[in-house]
Amino acid sequence: MAAAVLLYLLLARMSEAAPTHDEVANLPGLPKQPGFRHFSGYLSVAGGKHLHYWFVESQNSPASDPVVLWLNGGPGCSSLDGLLTEHGPFLVEDDGATLRENTQSWNKIANMLYLESPAGVGFSYSDDGTYATNDTEVSMLNYLALKEFFRLFPELSANPLFLMGESYGGIYVPTLAERVMEDTALNLQGMAVGNGMSSYKLNDNSLVYFAYYHGLLGSHLWSRLQAWCCHRGRCDFHQNPDVNCSAALVEVQDIIYGSGLNMYNLYAPCPGGAAHRFSAERGELVVRDLGNVFIHLEWTQMWKKKMRGLASGKTHVHLEPHCTNSTPATRFLNDPHVRRALHISPNAPDWTICSSEVYLNYGRLYLDVSKQYLKLLAALKYRMLVYNGDVDMACNFMGDEWFVESLNQEVQVNRRPWLYEDEDGRQVGGFVKEFNNLAFLTVKGSGHMVPTDKPVAAFAVFSRFVNKQPF
């Protein structure tokens, strides 16, 4: 009886404290409104920047369940893609008008906070309309946004807090965690990164091996790479000054990103067909290559310079990640009724999955986040997970595995298969290796967006992570 009274009081306090002006009362596209509360609005931070958030309460016990901050990558891509196509409670249908229930939604067991960051991404905006930023500024503004969120939802401030993200979230999450761990008012319990950019060097070096061993590079090209990029058994595919090595790497880059293969899932088809990296559509230049690999190649630097030049002129540059179909989400989120239901500011731009302006003017200050991981590990109290779909080429599993190994932590559980249950029974989900407060895990047959490709396996990983259960 006492426990029931306490739960009632907690729920009543949550109901009173949550910002009712941000509550979504009637979201278009749903066959019926959900049984949990969700909120959409703005977290205003320094410099006149307004970061849009969409917060969905846990379907289990919102008063006590963890709060999980989710950040998609880019840099410059919207976290609403994570909500509407990966692990949110409702997923957008192909018609761009209706939503369906996600039976593997992560808010089944956690309060999920989706933040569109930095300003210029999605519905987030800045009063002065300028969107050039960098890793350090983004981590600070994300921290301030998190503080503002708990000011609006003080009843959740004592709940366990986890920071999670994917892709360029590999930079966003640990640099944010480094700030959050210093704030004793926030109950940080850990962080997880899926298919993350953890080290440009290790990602580049591993990608060439990944491509060769998956049959993408012929023996002649591989022989040239070995001859020009390797010395005494050590290969440098990241920043090799040899012009012959660079020429061979341009061929590698073109095979992986320019031949029509799905860079986010090698074995999946490419929605819309094998599109070129650039195309002119509806009077605008569509760019499908986010250019996060081989950034030191002269060709890559020339490409970015050209894109910046076009974007600063009269040509409108639209950034659309390769082999993805963002049309349904774009259509849904730009519906005037949806914008109104989500309390989107009239100052906010039309929603796009990624912002070319943010991406092309973004300052990459962290090319490796080992320091952040080691600082968190040294505290001996944060749970950390690096997980990878094993057929992703944007941030491949081998590079992240090398990164985790490079941290030189004590092994607790040697690499082994991990299992989960689906409708067909017990399945091998992939492989896991566990260290002190850190695990590296692969998801078999999944690409870059693990919850999209393998929703049941992804939910199993998420559940074990936030509940501090063994993998």
Side-chain angles (χ1 to χ4, degrees):
M1 181 66 180
V5 171
L6 178 60
L7 178 60
Y8 173 80
L9 292 174
L10 286 170
L11 291 173
R13 188 160 62 91
M14 171 175 281
S15 177
E16 292 173 2
T20 55
H21 58 279
D22 283 351
E23 185 166 2
V24 180
N26 188 10
L27 182 64
L30 288 172
K32 64 177 182 177
Q33 296 304 306
F36 55 87
R37 301 174 76 190
H38 59 125
F39 303 79
S40 171
Y42 285 90
L43 304 173
S44 295
V45 293
K49 293 177 170 58
H50 310 277
L51 303 186
H52 174 247
Y53 79 95
W54 193 341
F55 171 62
V56 292
E57 285 185 352
S58 172
Q59 298 182 47
N60 177 45
S61 178
S64 58
D65 282 345
V67 174
V68 177
L69 171 68
W70 177 263
L71 295 167
N72 276 81
C77 296
S78 168
S79 297
L80 298 194
D81 185 53
L83 192 159
L84 291 174
T85 71
E86 295 188 68
H87 44 63
F90 15 75
L91 304 177
V92 64
E93 297 279 23
D94 289 342
D95 62 8
T98 54
L99 302 171
R100 71 180 186 275
E101 179 189 1
N102 179 10
T103 60
Q104 303 299 320
S105 173
W106 288 6
N107 87 316
K108 296 279 188 182
I109 58 170
N111 298 293
M112 296 295 301
L113 171 59
Y114 297 87
L115 183 67
E116 296 198 280
S117 173
V121 172
F123 291 132
S124 297
Y125 67 97
S126 176
D127 288 338
D128 62 10
T130 59
Y131 298 110
T133 188
N134 59 58
D135 290 329
T136 299
E137 182 179 57
V138 168
S139 69
M140 174 55 77
L141 295 181
N142 286 345
Y143 166 71
L144 295 176
L146 200 54
K147 294 289 285 184
E148 177 65 6
F149 172 79
F150 285 114
R151 187 188 71 79
L152 294 176
F153 295 83
E155 70 280 4
L156 298 174
S157 59
N159 292 42
L161 171 65
F162 292 92
L163 309 178
M164 295 188 68
E166 73 184 16
S167 194
Y168 203 79
I171 305 296
Y172 290 158
V173 170
T175 55
L176 172 60
E178 185 180 24
R179 294 185 187 276
V180 173
M181 70 180 292
E182 304 293 342
D183 189 338
T184 56
L186 298 174
N187 187 18
L188 181 65
Q189 296 294 303
M191 70 174 198
V193 173
N195 289 79
M197 178 61 76
S198 304
S199 164
Y200 286 82
K201 179 179 180 179
L202 295 178
N203 193 54
D204 283 355
N205 280 335
S206 59
L207 180 59
V208 179
Y209 288 102
F210 179 99
Y212 177 64
Y213 290 120
H214 281 81
L216 307 186
L217 313 181
S219 58
H220 178 62
L221 176 55
W222 181 247
S223 296
R224 287 163 53 211
L225 289 163
Q226 294 292 298
W228 300 115
C229 306
C230 305
H231 182 63
R232 294 182 179 175
R234 296 181 64 87
C235 300
D236 178 8
F237 302 122
H238 172 63
Q239 199 170 3
N240 198 313
D242 190 295
V243 293
N244 293 303
C245 175
S246 296
L249 288 172
V250 169
E251 292 183 44
V252 173
Q253 188 179 38
D254 192 55
I255 290 168
I256 295 171
Y257 297 126
S259 64
L261 293 170
N262 188 332
M263 62 183 277
Y264 294 117
N265 186 327
L266 174 59
Y267 297 130
C270 187
H276 294 292
R277 298 163 95 174
F278 322 109
S279 64
E281 300 175 13
R282 300 182 300 275
E284 64 181 7
L285 181 66
V286 179
V287 180
R288 295 184 175 84
D289 183 356
L290 269 67
N292 288 326
V293 297
F294 305 123
I295 61 173
H296 296 293
L297 284 181
E298 184 179 358
W299 187 95
T300 304
Q301 294 173 10
M302 289 173 59
W303 171 82
K304 282 200 171 181
K305 184 177 180 180
K306 180 180 180 180
M307 291 303 104
R308 289 192 194 98
L310 289 169
S312 64
K314 295 182 179 180
T315 303
H316 178 68
V317 177
H318 174 68
L319 190 60
E320 178 80 16
H322 190 64
C323 291
T324 60
N325 178 17
S326 66
T327 300
T330 303
R331 186 176 296 159
F332 176 76
L333 290 169
N334 285 320
D335 182 291
H337 301 291
V338 174
R339 286 177 66 111
R340 187 158 47 250
L342 296 177
H343 316 117
I344 301 305
S345 169
N347 297 319
D350 289 344
W351 189 89
T352 59
I353 188 171
C354 299
S355 166
S356 60
E357 186 172 5
V358 170
Y359 173 76
L360 292 172
N361 294 287
Y362 193 91
R364 301 162 189 266
L365 304 181
Y366 295 99
L367 302 182
D368 183 284
V369 286
S370 299
K371 180 177 76 70
Q372 285 74 21
Y373 274 82
L374 290 171
K375 185 175 180 179
L376 287 154
L377 286 165
L380 302 177
K381 63 178 181 178
Y382 301 115
R383 181 170 170 86
M384 285 181 279
L385 169 66
V386 175
Y387 66 94
N388 286 69
D390 62 9
V391 290
D392 173 36
M393 296 192 290
C395 297
N396 74 89
F397 80 93
M398 197 184 306
D400 276 333
E401 186 168 16
W402 290 357
F403 172 79
V404 170
E405 294 283 358
S406 75
L407 300 175
N408 295 314
Q409 300 300 297
E410 183 179 349
V411 177
Q412 296 296 306
V413 180
N414 286 319
R415 199 174 197 269
R416 60 170 176 81
W418 65 272
L419 305 174
Y420 72 101
E421 295 278 345
D422 69 4
E423 59 186 8
D424 296 316
R426 215 170 191 202
Q427 305 293 334
V428 174
F431 294 85
V432 63
K433 185 174 182 178
E434 298 185 60
F435 307 80
N436 281 331
N437 296 318
L438 172 67
F440 172 76
L441 179 147
T442 65
V443 181
K444 180 175 66 71
S446 174
H448 194 67
M449 284 71 79
V450 173
T452 300
D453 292 342
K454 298 290 181 179
V456 179
F459 183 83
V461 172
F462 175 72
S463 176
R464 294 174 200 179
F465 171 67
V466 298
N467 289 317
K468 299 185 178 180
Q469 298 170 338
F471 294 104

